[in-house]
């Protein structure tokens, strides 16, 4: 089996979306065959999948500009787990401020400028680490910042390693832009995106929609590959979980970014009205690692949405399995719906594998909603409709247990037939070998 160097913003993780997606792809690889170069620190590094990490943060560029004593990144293994890299307060402020999508600032544009001060060819520590890993393949989980493309290209040239590229978010075809710098960055993408796709031995995208659109745009075949969930055992238990209950639980699992939290607040208000009018006991819960502002907490409280914090591992899975309805939402905001148009949520395969009913609430053109509607595996409510229409549709779902069961069964059948992890991993490995 190939030795693979994964290059991505985020490391392997059992909790973060990107980390979980990478784990689902490489689950069959021996961990001694995997190494990972990443750029955003996580305290939840997963050493069950990989023991060889190299962390290359923005902070070393700032440090090297201000200090004579140079830094070159951090080699992280299981034995060095307690040696957490230190990010000073200025760097933390820099990342928080420039990662904001507000105003005329754009983090990728400014980060690319910052990384222009870094000569990756002088990073002997990184080169020695790669030499020790001796990878056969670079698997590049690509984003919207050029510096990572430059680093991947350099590693490929120096060590003569082929590149495979994987896109899970669309930053080039559909996004709307709200600032001059965002437009400038988008213009730059039309140069470094095609250059990377052209040199890549193989190209992957999350979901059929993105693979189709990217194949047309780049005039090169993209292979669709989604997140998977191990489901055989879980799907066979608690067959009566959708039976009549005194309390109906509607649970959301995942991030609240991209203004998803506002959609949940709106739903919370409507569901509370339904509960009062129909004498129903309905609870809406959010399970997330997202940091909430005071305003978010206050709006959750007013809409009677319960913020439950983060769950991991068995606790997370048990909470999903014991839900009556699993909620997925997307924002109606023009900017955010453009970002999510081609991206399928990584949690949908997990949802489908629980044999519970999925409620989708968002714009009709977004890939996650299209997946539910086109395959008839979820109950979809168009967020563009007024509150009365939304209420009427939700009342039908909440009143009809058999409807929820039928939707859940179709979803489980779909995930078994189309998102079987063993089949997808085998197809993925075959693509690497073939290309």
């Amino acid at each position: 089996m190939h030795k693979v160097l994964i290059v991505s913003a985020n490391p392997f993780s059992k909790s973060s979306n990107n980390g979980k997606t990478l784990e689902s792809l490489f689950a069959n690889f021996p961990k001694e065959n995997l190494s990972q170069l990443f750029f955003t620190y996580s305290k939840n590094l997963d050493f069950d999948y990989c023991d060889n990490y190299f962390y290359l943060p923005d902070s070393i560029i700032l440090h090297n500009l201000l200090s004579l004593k140079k830094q070159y990144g951090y080699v992280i293994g299981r034995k060095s787990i307690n040696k957490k890299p230190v990010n000073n307060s200025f760097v933390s402020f820099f990342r928080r401020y420039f990662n904001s999508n507000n105003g005329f600032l754009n983090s990728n544009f400014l980060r690319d400028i910052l990384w222009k001060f870094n000569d990756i060819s002088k990073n002997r520590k990184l080169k020695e680490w790669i030499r020790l890993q001796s990878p056969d393949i670079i698997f590049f989980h690509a984003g919207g910042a050029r510096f990572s493309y430059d680093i991947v290209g350099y590693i490929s040239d120096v060590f003569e390693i082929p590149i495979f590229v994987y896109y899970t978010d669309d930053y080039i075809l559909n996004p709307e832009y709200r600032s001059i710098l965002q437009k400038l960055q988008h213009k730059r993408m039309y140069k470094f995106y095609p250059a990377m796709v052209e040199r890549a031995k193989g190209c992957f995208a999350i979901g059929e929609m993105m693979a189709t659109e990217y194949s047309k745009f780049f005039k090169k075949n993209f292979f669709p590959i989604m997140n998977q969930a191990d489901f055989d055992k879980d799907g066979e238990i608690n067959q009566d979980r959708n039976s009549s209950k005194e309390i109906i639980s509607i649970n959301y699992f995942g991030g609240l970014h991209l203004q998803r939290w506002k959609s949940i607040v709106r739903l919370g208000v409507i569901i509370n009205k339904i509960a009062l009018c129909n004498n129903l006991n309905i609870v809406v819960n959010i399970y997330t690692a997202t940091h909430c502002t005071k305003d978010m907490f206050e709006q959750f409280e007013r809409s009677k949405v319960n913020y439950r914090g983060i769950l991991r591992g068995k606790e997370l899975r048990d909470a999903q399995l014991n839900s009556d309805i699993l909620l997925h939402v997307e924002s109606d905001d023009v900017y955010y719906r453009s970002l999510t148009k081609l991206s399928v949520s990584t949690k949908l395969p997990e949802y489908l594998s629980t044999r519970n009913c999925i409620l989708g609430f968002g714009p009709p053109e977004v890939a996650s909603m299209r997946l539910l509607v086109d395959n008839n595996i979820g109950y979809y409510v168009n967020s563009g409709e007024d509150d009365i229409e939304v209420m009427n549709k939700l009342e039908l779902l909440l009143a009809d247990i058999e409807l929820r069961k039928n939707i859940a069964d179709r979803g489980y059948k779909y995930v078994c037939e189309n998102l079987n992890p063993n089949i997808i991993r085998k197809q993925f490995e075959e693509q690497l070998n073939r290309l």
Side-chain angles (χ1 to χ4, degrees):
M1 189 170 280
H2 295 295
K3 296 188 73 174
V4 184
L5 169 63
I6 297 105
V7 181
S8 59
N10 309 107
F12 285 118
S13 168
K14 287 184 172 66
S15 56
S16 72
N17 286 340
N18 289 335
K20 287 162 64 177
T21 298
L22 291 172
E23 289 194 355
S24 71
L25 288 179
F26 290 98
N28 290 344
F29 282 70
K31 67 177 178 179
E32 57 268 21
N33 284 37
L34 300 175
S35 54
Q36 187 171 32
L37 167 63
F38 67 97
F39 308 107
T40 303
Y41 187 78
S42 170
K43 63 181 180 180
N44 298 313
L45 283 171
D46 192 346
F47 291 99
D48 292 333
Y49 270 77
C50 179
D51 272 339
N52 300 300
Y53 293 100
F54 196 100
Y55 172 45
L56 194 60
D58 300 343
S59 60
I60 68 167
I61 313 301
L62 292 171
H63 173 90
N64 292 344
L65 288 172
L66 302 172
S67 173
L68 295 176
K69 187 177 180 180
K70 304 301 181 185
Q71 291 183 354
Y72 298 100
Y74 305 88
V75 176
I76 303 177
R78 185 182 293 273
K79 293 181 180 179
S80 61
I81 188 170
N82 294 321
K83 297 179 181 178
K84 180 180 177 180
V86 176
N87 289 322
N88 63 46
S89 57
F90 174 73
V91 174
S92 297
F93 170 79
F94 177 89
R95 291 304 304 275
R96 285 197 306 270
Y97 189 63
F98 290 112
N99 270 335
S100 169
N101 282 312
N102 298 318
F104 66 90
L105 299 173
N106 177 266
S107 64
N108 285 334
F109 183 86
L110 295 170
R111 288 179 79 192
D112 283 349
I113 293 176
L114 178 67
W115 277 87
K116 286 292 184 183
F117 293 96
N118 176 68
D119 186 353
I120 197 67
S121 67
K122 294 181 180 179
N123 194 327
R124 295 179 181 178
K125 187 174 182 179
L126 174 60
K127 287 190 284 186
E128 179 59 27
W129 178 79
I130 295 172
R131 196 171 287 113
L132 288 172
Q133 309 310 317
S134 62
D136 307 308
I137 286 172
I138 298 172
F139 185 82
F140 180 31
H141 185 193
R146 175 166 186 157
F147 77 89
S148 58
Y149 290 72
D150 293 339
I151 291 171
V152 168
Y154 174 78
I155 295 171
S156 175
D157 291 339
V158 170
F159 294 94
E160 299 181 342
I161 311 171
I163 301 169
F164 291 78
V165 66
Y166 181 41
Y167 289 100
T168 57
D169 294 298
D170 175 37
Y171 296 103
I172 191 166
L173 294 189
N174 296 291
E176 300 281 338
Y177 293 100
R178 305 183 299 183
S179 72
I180 294 174
L181 291 188
Q182 287 180 342
K183 290 179 180 178
L184 287 173
Q185 183 70 356
H186 186 241
K187 187 175 181 180
R188 297 174 74 238
M189 289 179 193
Y190 276 93
K191 295 182 179 179
F192 64 81
Y193 263 59
M196 178 56 68
V197 170
E198 183 178 354
R199 72 177 294 174
K201 287 292 183 181
C203 301
F204 300 89
I206 190 165
E208 295 283 350
M209 276 183 65
M210 182 179 284
T212 300
E213 293 298 316
Y214 273 37
S215 295
K216 290 178 183 177
F217 180 77
F218 291 108
K219 295 180 173 58
K220 186 171 183 177
N221 187 49
F222 275 73
F223 185 77
I225 189 162
M226 279 181 62
N227 185 33
Q228 314 106 49
D230 293 309
F231 55 83
D232 290 340
K233 181 179 178 182
D234 291 331
E236 297 301 324
I237 63 175
N238 291 341
Q239 295 287 336
D240 63 342
R241 71 173 69 102
N242 286 302
S243 61
S244 181
K245 295 180 180 179
E246 291 184 4
I247 300 176
I248 301 173
S249 61
I250 302 175
N251 296 333
Y252 176 85
F253 300 84
L256 303 177
H257 57 300
L258 304 177
Q259 288 193 1
R260 289 181 176 127
W261 70 275
K262 290 187 176 182
S263 297
I264 298 173
V265 166
R266 182 185 171 203
L267 268 182
V269 172
I270 295 172
I271 289 169
N272 186 47
K273 290 180 181 178
I274 293 173
L276 290 173
C277 293
N278 296 276
N279 197 28
L280 296 173
N281 193 346
I282 308 170
V283 294
V284 181
N285 299 310
I286 294 174
Y287 297 91
T288 182
T290 301
H291 171 74
C292 290
T293 64
K294 182 181 178 182
D295 178 53
M296 291 167 70
F297 276 122
E298 289 175 350
Q299 293 203 45
F300 287 148
E301 191 173 275
R302 281 198 295 269
S303 60
K304 298 191 183 304
V305 172
N306 304 304
Y307 177 88
R308 303 296 190 187
I310 188 171
L311 294 177
R312 295 188 176 93
K314 188 176 183 301
E315 287 186 339
L316 169 64
R317 190 60 178 171
D318 287 345
Q320 290 178 337
L321 288 167
N322 292 313
S323 303
D324 294 304
I325 297 171
L326 292 163
L327 175 63
H328 178 64
V329 300
E330 296 291 358
S331 172
D332 259 334
D333 180 89
V334 173
Y335 174 71
Y336 292 112
R337 68 197 288 175
S338 73
L339 293 178
T340 57
K341 183 176 181 179
L342 297 180
S343 299
V344 178
S345 171
T346 56
K347 67 172 166 281
L348 286 182
E350 294 179 19
Y351 276 11
L352 293 166
S353 69
T354 64
R355 215 170 203 156
N356 283 327
C357 177
I358 299 175
L359 167 61
F361 182 65
E365 79 277 8
V366 172
S368 292
M369 302 304 162
R370 287 278 300 274
L371 178 72
L372 298 178
V373 173
D374 292 350
N375 298 286
N376 197 22
I377 54 176
Y379 191 85
Y380 171 66
V381 178
N382 188 339
S383 57
E385 295 178 334
D386 61 39
D387 286 358
I388 295 176
E389 281 296 316
V390 172
M391 182 182 293
N392 290 337
K393 290 183 178 179
L394 288 177
E395 281 182 326
L396 291 175
L397 178 68
L398 293 168
D400 195 334
I401 296 171
E402 286 303 314
L403 173 62
R404 299 204 297 268
K405 284 184 178 180
N406 291 335
I407 292 171
D409 287 342
R410 289 196 300 270
Y412 185 70
K413 182 180 179 182
Y414 178 87
V415 78
C416 289
E417 294 177 350
N418 297 278
L419 297 176
N420 185 305
N422 294 324
I423 294 174
I424 289 180
R425 288 164 190 157
K426 184 178 180 181
Q427 291 174 341
F428 174 62
E429 291 158 21
E430 287 174 350
Q431 287 293 318
L432 294 182
N433 290 327
R434 183 179 67 81
L435 297 169

